[in-house]
């Protein structure tokens, strides 16, 4: 019977890793003034619930799966924050949309 529980722990762990990524993006957006703090609270609650649910079925003991999922969540948080704080240069498509032509309009 441990197989379905372990599968569910892994699935919830993957959701938690995604929540960590989105939490980092929300933190960066709040720091830049593009979002409200309520987004950070929402993603923090989701992340906490997912990571606690990964730990709970083990009956209080931390095992290897917990440590791997929590470490990946930290890495996802760092990647999300880095991605959200990069300066993105908008691509200039003016010449592709309006090609220069040597002909004069009639």
């Amino acid at each position: 019977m441990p197989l379905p529980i372990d599968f569910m722990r892994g699935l919830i762990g993957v959701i938690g890793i995604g929540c960590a990524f989105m939490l980092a993006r929300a933190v960066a957006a709040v720091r830049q003034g593009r979002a409200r703090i309520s987004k950070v609270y929402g993603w923090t609650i989701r992340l906490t619930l997912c990571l606690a649910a990964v730990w709970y079925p083990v009956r209080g003991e931390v095992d290897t799966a917990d440590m791997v999922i929590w470490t990946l969540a930290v890495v996802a948080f760092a990647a999300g924050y880095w991605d959200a704080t990069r300066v993105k240069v908008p691509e200039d498509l003016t010449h592709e949309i309006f090609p220069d032509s040597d002909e004069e309009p009639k």
Side-chain angles (χ1 to χ4, degrees), residues 17-100:
I17 292 168
C19 290
F21 183 82
M22 293 304 295
L23 172 63
R25 292 182 60 85
V27 167
V30 167
R31 287 188 53 153
Q32 294 171 355
R34 295 184 292 123
R36 295 186 193 180
I37 193 73
S38 61
K39 284 190 144 204
V40 173
Y41 293 147
W43 285 114
T44 302
I45 291 169
R46 290 179 190 110
L47 174 65
T48 304
L49 289 175
C50 286
L51 295 184
V54 167
W55 168 76
Y56 179 72
V58 184
R59 310 268 189 245
E61 297 177 9
V62 177
D63 65 349
T64 307
D66 296 335
M67 295 305 290
V68 167
I69 289 171
W70 293 341
T71 303
L72 288 175
V74 169
V75 170
F77 183 88
Y81 190 80
W82 175 79
D83 184 49
T85 57
R86 285 188 310 164
V87 177
K88 297 171 185 78
V89 179
E91 189 175 352
D92 184 18
L93 299 174
T94 306
H95 295 293
E96 291 184 23
I97 296 172
F98 305 106
D100 295 333

Side-chain angles (χ1 to χ4, degrees), residues 99-106:
D100 295 333
S101 63
D102 295 331
E103 300 175 11
E104 292 187 25
K106 295 181 181 179

